[in-house]
Amino acid sequence: MGKGLFTAASFGLSGREAGMRLEELEQQIGYRFRNRKLLEQALCHSSYANERHMDRLYNNERLEFLGDAVLELAASEFLYLTYPRMPEGEATRTRASIVCEQTLALCARELGLGNWLRLGKGEELTGGRERDSITSDALEALIGAVYLDGGFASAKEFVRRFILNDIEHKKLFFDSKTILQETLQSESEETLHYVTVKEEGPDHNKRFTVNACLGEQVIGAGSGRTKKAAEQEAAYQALLLRRNKG
């Protein structure tokens, strides 16, 4: 392939099949692109473009750069208008929890965005479709694509629908370790700690399973591609269990 952008062959599909696949994603996100090449570019990871000797500007990194700025503005406006009594410091911390990699990766998983990405063979084999850094960047690239195609109003609607929805839940997920620590300190003299109970996979594609423990008692379990991610998930599950019991 030359250095053009996308063709049906670059997707390994017929032209009709590629169009149908992208139409399914458009239905999933509730937005139809006028310029579908923007959607195609948003889904193109650098590893895919590199393997096919495409121009490096045709991966999704520039769209991700733009989408990051659009997301920050949309989140800032939302917080300013929705929480008129929220102090600047709290708004800054809340915005940071919304736009961080882990929260965006959570939103991308809820959308199933990883299923649509164009990855190189190496990234495909090492679990790139589930890697937080890749899926969060792709989500920001998608925001950038919607912005260029439909303007800020369309991008803002996308952000509100898929990222700013259930904001308290997402804040709980992001701050789970801190919230759990502070909650237990006021209730128990036992020490909260995390125990790695399983480590699977080769070095380039590890999977960790971690228990959150209060003294000897397991109060939550989680898994992730890093110990930090697994600990966060374990804390989050512990908080959810506490809320359900309450």
Side-chain angles (χ1 to χ4, degrees):
M1 181 184 299
K3 291 191 175 182
L5 186 49
F6 294 91
T7 65
S10 74
F11 282 77
L13 302 168
S14 71
R16 183 171 180 273
E17 288 173 330
M20 290 176 64
R21 287 271 295 162
L22 292 175
E23 186 174 325
E24 290 173 13
L25 179 55
E26 288 175 326
Q27 291 174 355
Q28 175 82 1
I29 65 175
Y31 180 82
R32 183 175 293 277
F33 279 82
R34 289 186 284 269
N35 179 4
R36 192 172 272 177
K37 289 189 181 300
L38 287 168
L39 175 57
E40 294 169 350
Q41 186 172 356
L43 300 172
C44 182
H45 188 254
S46 58
S47 62
Y48 186 92
N50 291 340
E51 281 190 5
R52 286 156 179 77
H53 308 291
M54 300 166 71
D55 190 306
R56 63 186 179 86
L57 296 180
Y58 289 147
N59 62 43
N60 65 6
E61 291 175 354
R62 280 169 52 82
L63 281 176
E64 181 262 324
F65 162 79
L66 178 61
D68 175 68
V70 174
L71 171 60
E72 185 158 321
L73 177 57
S76 298
E77 181 189 81
F78 174 82
L79 293 173
Y80 184 86
L81 296 176
T82 307
Y83 302 98
R85 299 187 62 81
M86 180 181 285
E88 181 271 341
E90 184 181 350
T92 299
R93 291 191 295 274
T94 302
R95 183 182 63 193
S97 73
I98 294 168
V99 303
C100 76
E101 177 182 294
Q102 289 173 309
T103 302
L104 292 179
L106 174 66
C107 298
R109 285 198 295 275
E110 290 176 346
L111 262 176
L113 189 58
N115 296 327
W116 305 95
L117 298 182
R118 311 311 183 198
L119 301 177
K121 292 179 181 178
E123 288 291 353
E124 183 76 64
L125 291 173
T126 57
R129 293 189 187 281
E130 299 176 8
R131 188 165 295 125
D132 285 0
S133 59
I134 290 178
T135 57
S136 62
D137 285 352
L139 184 58
E140 288 184 323
L142 185 54
I143 294 168
V146 172
Y147 170 76
L148 289 178
D149 191 73
F152 184 63
S154 296
K156 183 166 65 173
E157 175 60 27
F158 177 90
V159 169
R160 289 196 173 206
R161 181 177 177 187
F162 296 108
I163 298 174
L164 299 177
N165 64 322
D166 201 6
I167 193 170
E168 293 303 321
H169 171 84
K170 291 183 171 71
K171 188 176 179 182
L172 177 67
F173 173 77
F174 175 75
D175 292 329
S176 55
K177 290 182 69 175
T178 300
I179 293 171
L180 183 62
Q181 180 73 43
E182 292 175 349
T183 300
L184 294 177
Q185 278 180 343
S186 64
E187 296 180 358
S188 175
E189 295 182 359
E190 296 281 4
T191 301
L192 172 66
H193 60 285
Y194 297 89
V195 178
T196 302
V197 295
K198 189 184 297 183
E199 183 176 326
E200 300 174 293
D203 289 340
H204 61 268
N205 192 23
K206 286 285 188 184
R207 191 83 183 172
F208 297 91
T209 301
V210 169
N211 286 340
C213 300
L214 186 62
E216 298 298 319
Q217 180 186 4
V218 176
I219 59 173
S223 62
R225 294 192 175 279
T226 65
K227 287 184 180 179
K228 182 178 178 181
E231 289 174 0
Q232 181 179 4
E233 179 66 24
Y236 176 63
Q237 293 300 327
L239 287 169
L240 291 182
L241 287 170
R242 289 174 60 83
R243 284 191 169 190
N244 292 336
K245 288 179 180 178

